[in-house]
Amino acid sequence: MKLRFFTKFDAATVKIWTPIVEAYEKQNPNIKVTMETVAGSGAAIYPDVLRTSMAAGDPPDVFFMWGGEVAGPFIDAGQVMELGALYDKHGWKARMTPWTVDAITRNGKVWGVPYNARGMGFFYRKDIFAKYKLAEPKSYAEFEQICATLKTNKIYCASFGGKFGWHPMRLLDYLTETACGPEVHNQLNRLQASWDIPCAVDAYGRLKKWVDNGWLVPDFLSVTPADARMPVYLGDAAMIIEGDWFEFVVRGDKQPTTNLDFFVPPTGHQPLRYSAFPQQWMVPAKAKNPDASAQFIDFITAPATQKQFPAAFTASATIGIEPDCKEWPITCKWRQIITTSRDIYPPTDQAFTKELMDGFFEVQSGIIAGRITPADGGKMMQARAEAWKASKK
Amino acid sequence: MEHALLYVSLSILALIWILPFVTVLLSALRSQGDLFSRGVFALPEEIDWSNFTEAWKTGGFEIYFRNSLFLILVKVPLGILLASLAAYPLAKLQFRFSMAVFVFFLLGLAVPVQVTLQPLLVMMKQLGIANSLWALIPPYVAFGLPFQIFVMRGFFRLIPSELIECARIDGASELVIFRRIMLPLSVPALATLFIIDSQATWNEFIIALVLVSSKASRTVPVGLLQFQGEFASQYTQLMAGIVISIAPVIAIFIFLQRFFVSGLTQSAVKG
Amino acid sequence: MTGLRSASGTGALGWAQDRTAWMFLAPAVLVYCVFLVYPMLSSLWISLFKWDGMSAEMKFIGGENYWRIFLEDEVSRKALWNNLLWTLAALLLPTSFGLALALALDTKLKGVVVFRTIFYGPGVLPLVAVGLIWSWMYNPHFGAVNTILKMMDLRHLTRGWLSSYDTALAATFVTYLWSHVGFPMVLYLAGLQAIPRDLYEAASLDGATALQRFRHVTLPGLKETHVIVLSLAVIHALKVFDLIYTMTYGGPGRETQVLGTWMYFQSFQYYNAGYGAAIAWVITAIILLIAIPYIRHMTKT
């Protein structure tokens, strides 16, 4: 029997998952698992390929998914299997860190099994910071100061790859949280507040400032997020916004990780929130063999399996699975933060559906390129939000 | 003197024209570290074939090649057969609506693929072949018919009608005439179409992108783009993947160039 | 299928010939109608609805999608504009370049085949590969373009060619030019070789200069070829998709969106199947405007 396992894993991640799949096949000799991936573009292209396969009536048996509004359209279109019964059958609730299940609950029901809980912050080159006697900023003003200092020393403060929009979005998200505070940021994400209110325009203004001051590696709008790592590796840029997975990625790129550290950027608000999101496994509503799908998910979320293959589960939602702090010090540090602080906000691309998100990216890119003023950007974004709301009626 | 000037300018232009190929090939033969340290225009100090082997196995090109070849072997002969069958009456048989049917097919040249995608997706699902290579064959055949019918009809018309009349008088059926006279005499045109259609099938992108989502059924162009996503910052491997993708088409082109050229000029002849 | 028949194809025997003809035509007609014509018409129908392409419900909205394309959606209008620019450029640049190359290669130079191979070669490649090759050329750090500019001491001209709103479309078009110059070149070569040499000799005897020979013998002799080259150039240009999808993905922002890619985004990423179908039909209608006169011209016997 064939089981199609669909993910967004890149080549390095596929490598560490292959033994896991093989272990499953060994335990279940009559099942052949094929791993398929759509990689490199994050949530930009993967959901489309997934959706096409669903439209064709040939969905994968188990698939990876982010949370929020990336998963939302699939759930709302009835394409995903509701897993309440399976949770009871396999006792998954007891296995998962509670808030991870809450994070992927939608409309009171659970549609997936948590895989990871991820968090993002600014990764920086320790040696560059040391060289210019910089310390992790405690306030936004200090942060800007850091960038100014780096600039005078001809180093870019941060590197981004704008090709799909979601990488620079991380910066804009941070600036929005800083300018507007948690309450209003939430409202903006729910389209309950208008995007042309002063603090949102201020956020756009700060983005423009980062670009105009030369703090970002220039000409990055067509660069892929993966390519954005280059300047940091080469020492041309000091920072990049990435998440708890980054230590693994850097090792995969055969670059040293001893040189890296990260901080959760200061927002000046209470509570100090950071950008975080869940990842989950889902089963299509029209799965050919739901039990087989469930069995596989059970295997890959089981503590026993995850302990056997620690490299693949450094941010696991399964209780008791912690990364090896000696081997993955940075990941471990992230783990601390993620498990202790639940003050988080989602990346905007998990708050908006694709069509609205592309409108968001259009404004974001326009401001970065200097073609739209922050004030106009706010108006444009709000217009897009209104149009989208109207089209959903 | 004039000639020398012409020669020189053409040569310079030609060098500029091959530059992209050369760059890609050079980058594919080096290791990433070498690329970073010495920049893009340095010759490889030692040739690194691992980029190619990585791309082939891990990158999945083994699968993509197999799929594209399968498509070519099935679709190309099928399409050309259908086109030739259709071209015969349009060229040699008098029947009503002959010109209308011909124009009907020709209009297909104007149809952008996009306008058929969504319904094709639904259709393939209903036929139960969605997300497989089989789903690509019918639309590929359909979109290839206009050009192929045009070329075959043009060629058939050049075959002397006396040959056909004689055969008829001898009692041959139209099918026999088609098999024994029209096809054998059209081998140059058939060969041309075979080669051009194979190239077009290898290169087709958007229909394959939309109709097929699983890795096992990806064709080379779709696979190449996917490969770029997977190996995003491993430039040298990406270059190797590109070289692998284009090597067959280039090889066929260099050795069988005249077929491409004659195919073009055929399409230029008024019909 | 009977044997003897009359030449005129009318009368009782004519019907038999009709039937034979249709039997030969049937397979092609069937495949063509089912997999090209029918989907086309189905798209036209879909374009009158609001539909996500998957669920059963479709909401009839008449011509509203078309209204949106021309009057409400800024991106559609930008896409239309880009298509216009692209098509104009395709009408002028690869074609005149191709003509120039054809003229240069029409002489009895040694190694003409080599040149022809080099200039036509890019045209046989999958456009995805061409797009990726040139994305590499345009890479801000390692790309050949910026590297050469730096080597020529023109560092100030280096930029992110595909990242910049001002240069993205043009940079992508350069790639199109690279891969599409061979096609007109070969067609013009064939056309040039079809011009009878004695026309040139006669003109020379009359004392015409090279330029005059060009204007009065070559250009008129190429009239037929012009029609083909220009019509096909326009038709190909309007269909553009692969290069833009691969190189810029419609960006930066939506700056390089064209109707071909915008249709794809709408239908397969935003699940506005009806709207996407309408965009597809706008492309089709524009192409048909060009193609119909061309086909009529081609079939005048």
Side-chain angles (χ1 to χ4, degrees):
Chain A
M1 201 198 84
K2 285 218 188 92
L3 189 107
R4 273 177 64 208
F5 180 39
F6 192 58
T7 70
K8 60 124 185 137
F9 295 159
D10 63 5
T13 315
V14 167
K15 261 208 175 92
I16 55 171
W17 267 83
T18 306
I20 301 176
V21 163
E22 283 170 0
Y24 185 71
E25 286 178 332
K26 202 149 160 231
Q27 264 186 32
N28 300 276
N30 60 324
I31 301 186
K32 175 108 183 65
V33 181
T34 43
M35 229 191 321
E36 297 179 14
T37 73
V38 174
S41 49
I45 297 180
Y46 173 88
D48 304 329
V49 182
L50 179 63
R51 186 102 177 208
T52 305
S53 73
M54 286 172 168
D58 188 22
D61 298 292
V62 174
F63 61 91
F64 164 93
M65 186 43 71
W66 293 266
E69 286 309 313
V70 183
F74 291 94
I75 298 173
D76 294 343
Q79 293 291 326
V80 183
M81 184 175 282
E82 196 256 318
L83 298 180
L86 285 170
Y87 261 75
D88 291 334
K89 179 167 168 199
H90 292 271
W92 286 334
K93 198 127 191 166
R95 175 187 292 182
M96 297 297 157
T97 314
W99 55 260
T100 58
V101 178
D102 293 337
I104 58 172
T105 302
R106 188 179 173 89
N107 303 331
K109 304 211 183 79
V110 193
W111 305 88
V113 181
Y115 163 34
N116 282 328
R118 320 224 80 142
M120 297 194 278
F122 279 82
F123 277 77
Y124 65 94
R125 290 269 303 244
K126 291 200 289 201
D127 52 344
I128 295 183
F129 265 45
K131 184 166 175 193
Y132 300 107
K133 307 212 185 3
L134 301 168
E136 294 180 8
K138 297 286 174 287
S139 72
Y140 181 72
E142 265 178 54
F143 203 154
E144 287 201 344
Q145 195 45 46
I146 291 179
C147 287
T149 310
L150 286 168
K151 176 81 199 307
T152 43
N153 290 294
K154 301 236 174 65
I155 302 215
Y156 296 111
C157 199
S159 173
F160 288 97
K163 187 162 190 188
F164 305 106
W166 47 263
H167 202 231
M169 172 197 78
R170 295 172 179 174
L171 177 61
L172 182 55
D173 282 352
Y174 163 57
L175 296 172
T176 309
E177 174 78 3
T178 308
C180 295
E183 211 24 72
V184 179
H185 192 183
N186 283 349
Q187 287 170 347
L188 285 170
N189 278 351
R190 294 192 204 118
L191 297 184
Q192 287 163 348
S194 166
W195 278 83
D196 60 9
I197 56 179
C199 77
V201 175
D202 181 20
Y204 282 137
R206 296 188 197 203
L207 180 63
K208 184 173 163 60
K209 184 174 175 187
W210 279 64
V211 175
D212 290 346
N213 283 5
W215 294 344
L216 300 179
V217 177
D219 292 328
F220 64 86
L221 284 177
S222 294
V223 175
T224 63
D227 284 349
R229 303 175 209 143
M230 288 305 130
V232 178
Y233 292 157
L234 295 171
D236 293 332
M239 296 189 259
I240 187 170
I241 300 185
E242 286 291 345
D244 58 281
W245 59 81
F246 197 53
E247 190 174 22
F248 176 77
V249 164
V250 173
R251 291 232 185 117
D253 281 345
K254 309 223 180 24
Q255 297 288 324
T257 53
T258 44
N259 209 344
L260 280 179
D261 203 350
F262 72 89
F263 58 85
V264 169
T267 62
H269 292 279
Q270 287 300 332
L272 172 62
R273 302 199 308 174
Y274 60 98
S275 183
F277 57 95
Q279 289 174 338
Q280 56 184 321
W281 304 116
M282 290 182 142
V283 179
K286 304 222 180 73
K288 290 185 212 81
N289 194 334
D291 285 318
S293 301
Q295 286 282 30
F296 186 68
I297 293 184
D298 189 55
F299 179 76
I300 57 181
T301 54
T305 315
Q306 297 197 358
K307 285 209 177 86
Q308 221 191 331
F309 302 99
F313 298 102
T314 53
S316 179
T318 303
I319 296 179
I321 303 300
E322 301 297 328
D324 180 340
C325 290
K326 276 202 289 316
E327 225 202 302
W328 304 99
I330 301 180
T331 314
C332 205
K333 187 172 161 191
W334 259 115
R335 189 69 177 166
Q336 275 298 343
I337 297 178
I338 294 176
T339 45
T340 51
S341 163
R342 294 311 307 155
D343 296 313
I344 61 172
Y345 58 87
T348 316
D349 68 350
Q350 295 198 25
F352 296 156
T353 59
K354 183 87 180 287
E355 189 172 359
L356 180 59
M357 206 53 218
D358 274 4
F360 178 91
F361 289 146
E362 198 187 349
V363 173
Q364 177 184 286
S365 295
I367 292 186
I368 290 172
R371 299 179 76 88
I372 310 177
T373 65
D376 285 338
K379 289 202 201 81
M380 221 174 127
M381 183 59 214
Q382 187 53 25
R384 297 247 179 297
E386 302 289 339
W388 184 82
K389 278 197 275 194
S391 75
K392 287 306 150 197
K393 297 218 184 67
Chain B
M1 186 49 213
E2 236 173 55
H3 268 210
L5 200 57
L6 192 60
Y7 214 84
V8 167
S9 359
L10 271 179
S11 302
I12 296 182
L13 199 59
L15 281 174
I16 298 180
W17 231 250
I18 338 183
L19 182 66
F21 283 119
V22 170
T23 319
V24 169
L25 192 57
L26 276 184
S27 305
L29 290 171
R30 303 158 65 185
S31 70
Q32 180 109 315
D34 186 43
L35 178 67
F36 282 176
S37 43
R38 294 194 300 135
V40 74
F41 280 132
L43 286 173
E45 284 172 331
E46 35 171 300
I47 298 196
D48 187 357
W49 293 107
S50 70
N51 293 328
F52 288 94
T53 48
E54 263 294 296
W56 185 252
K57 265 245 103 101
T58 324
F61 277 101
E62 204 179 344
I63 303 175
Y64 308 147
F65 259 56
R66 204 184 54 210
N67 291 336
S68 286
L69 272 173
F70 168 78
L71 273 180
I72 289 180
L73 287 174
V74 173
K75 180 261 166 181
V76 175
L78 180 63
I80 296 182
L81 177 64
L82 257 57
S84 307
L85 281 171
Y88 176 50
L90 292 174
K92 287 299 184 190
L93 299 182
Q94 317 264 46
F95 69 103
R96 291 180 303 173
F97 309 126
S98 172
M99 190 42 95
V101 172
F102 184 47
V103 172
F104 178 61
F105 278 114
L106 281 186
L107 285 172
L109 287 171
V111 176
V113 164
Q114 281 91 336
V115 83
T116 61
L117 290 175
Q118 180 76 42
L120 277 177
L121 194 54
V122 171
M123 209 187 285
M124 292 307 156
K125 175 177 174 184
Q126 287 167 346
L127 286 174
I129 52 175
N131 204 18
S132 75
L133 285 175
W134 296 105
L136 296 178
I137 294 180
Y140 278 13
V141 171
F143 274 94
L145 285 173
F147 178 69
Q148 290 162 12
I149 290 180
F150 180 71
V151 170
M152 288 316 294
R153 175 179 177 274
F155 209 84
F156 280 168
R157 275 160 62 118
L158 297 176
I159 294 176
S161 296
E162 295 82 53
L163 281 176
I164 300 176
E165 280 307 319
C166 285
R168 285 196 189 129
I169 292 170
D170 285 346
S173 71
E174 296 300 330
L175 195 55
V176 167
I177 293 176
F178 178 75
R179 259 180 44 219
R180 298 271 186 80
I181 300 181
M182 306 305 292
L183 285 186
L185 287 180
S186 313
V187 166
L190 290 171
T192 301
L193 282 183
F194 199 93
I195 291 173
I196 293 190
D197 200 38
S198 298
Q199 176 237 340
T201 306
W202 184 268
N203 292 353
E204 204 283 325
F205 180 58
I206 186 174
I207 298 182
L209 179 69
V210 171
L211 290 186
V212 168
S213 45
S214 78
K215 181 172 182 170
S217 306
R218 284 186 195 137
T219 57
V220 169
V222 179
L224 178 59
L225 202 55
Q226 169 52 24
F227 180 73
Q228 190 233 358
E230 272 176 52
F231 289 80
S233 49
Q234 282 147 292
Y235 299 123
T236 52
Q237 277 183 14
L238 177 57
M239 294 303 124
I242 294 178
V243 173
I244 293 180
S245 304
I246 63 179
V249 205
I250 293 217
I252 294 188
F253 172 65
I254 290 185
F255 294 115
L256 300 175
Q257 208 188 121
R258 55 199 182 94
F259 289 104
F260 285 91
V261 174
S262 84
L264 270 198
T265 46
Q266 294 272 24
S267 69
V269 170
K270 244 192 358 171
Chain C
M1 302 186 199
T2 55
L4 287 174
R5 69 197 74 251
S6 73
S8 66
T10 55
L13 288 174
W15 274 107
Q17 197 161 70
D18 261 16
R19 209 183 61 212
T20 315
W22 281 103
M23 287 175 90
F24 271 85
L25 283 168
V29 170
L30 188 67
V31 172
Y32 188 71
C33 285
V34 172
F35 296 104
L36 195 149
V37 180
Y38 168 70
M40 239 179 107
L41 297 174
S42 183
S43 272
L44 188 57
W45 177 244
I46 293 173
S47 75
L48 303 173
F49 289 80
K50 184 178 155 124
W51 184 40
D52 68 353
M54 282 173 67
S55 54
E57 348 157 341
M58 287 170 68
K59 186 168 147 213
F60 182 77
I61 55 173
E64 212 176 289
N65 282 329
Y66 292 97
W67 177 265
R68 232 179 103 192
I69 293 175
F70 291 105
L71 292 163
E72 279 175 11
D73 186 351
E74 291 162 10
V75 185
S76 293
R77 282 176 299 177
K78 159 136 256 135
L80 254 173
W81 177 247
N82 284 343
N83 273 114
L84 185 65
L85 287 176
W86 190 277
T87 308
L88 275 175
L91 207 50
L92 293 171
L93 295 173
T95 48
S96 48
F97 225 83
L99 176 57
L101 284 173
L103 287 169
L105 294 180
D106 192 31
T107 56
K108 300 288 182 278
L109 275 176
K110 269 198 311 198
V112 163
V113 177
V114 172
F115 284 122
R116 200 181 62 184
T117 313
I118 291 180
F119 292 116
Y120 187 64
V124 306
L125 303 179
L127 285 171
V128 172
V130 173
L132 289 177
I133 292 174
W134 275 85
S135 296
W136 180 236
M137 297 275 289
Y138 285 129
N139 183 301
H141 299 289
F142 299 106
V145 175
N146 278 353
T147 308
I148 292 180
L149 284 175
K150 284 184 213 161
M151 280 175 6
M152 285 170 32
D153 233 2
L154 291 171
R155 187 169 261 273
H156 57 277
L157 285 179
T158 65
R159 64 189 60 226
W161 297 94
L162 297 175
S163 285
S164 162
Y165 278 69
D166 299 319
T167 57
L169 194 66
T172 315
F173 189 80
V174 168
T175 309
Y176 186 84
L177 180 65
W178 182 74
S179 70
H180 283 74
V181 88
F183 187 75
M185 176 185 80
V186 168
L187 285 177
Y188 277 125
L189 262 175
L192 283 174
Q193 282 157 9
I195 301 177
R197 295 288 134 167
D198 32 326
L199 285 180
Y200 285 110
E201 280 163 22
S204 292
L205 285 177
D206 285 346
T209 64
L211 194 57
Q212 284 172 323
R213 286 202 299 274
F214 180 70
R215 272 185 58 208
H216 295 284
V217 180
T218 314
L219 279 187
L222 285 178
K223 226 176 66 176
E224 270 314 306
T225 323
H226 281 324
V227 172
I228 298 161
V229 168
L230 296 176
S231 309
L232 289 178
V234 170
I235 293 177
H236 285 164
L238 287 166
K239 291 185 181 177
V240 67
F241 174 85
D242 304 29
L243 277 185
I244 296 193
Y245 184 83
T246 312
M247 293 176 78
T248 61
Y249 201 61
R254 262 98 177 244
E255 196 67 10
T256 57
Q257 279 286 0
V258 289
L259 291 176
T261 52
W262 190 229
M263 177 271 165
Y264 176 81
F265 273 65
Q266 285 291 339
S267 280
F268 301 105
Q269 291 186 3
Y270 306 158
Y271 311 110
N272 296 330
Y275 190 55
I279 297 177
W281 260 97
V282 169
I283 306 176
T284 311
I286 299 178
I287 298 183
L288 281 174
L289 273 179
I290 314 285
I292 291 180
Y294 171 57
I295 291 175
R296 281 180 55 197
H297 176 89
M298 291 295 287
T299 55
K300 274 200 301 237
T301 24

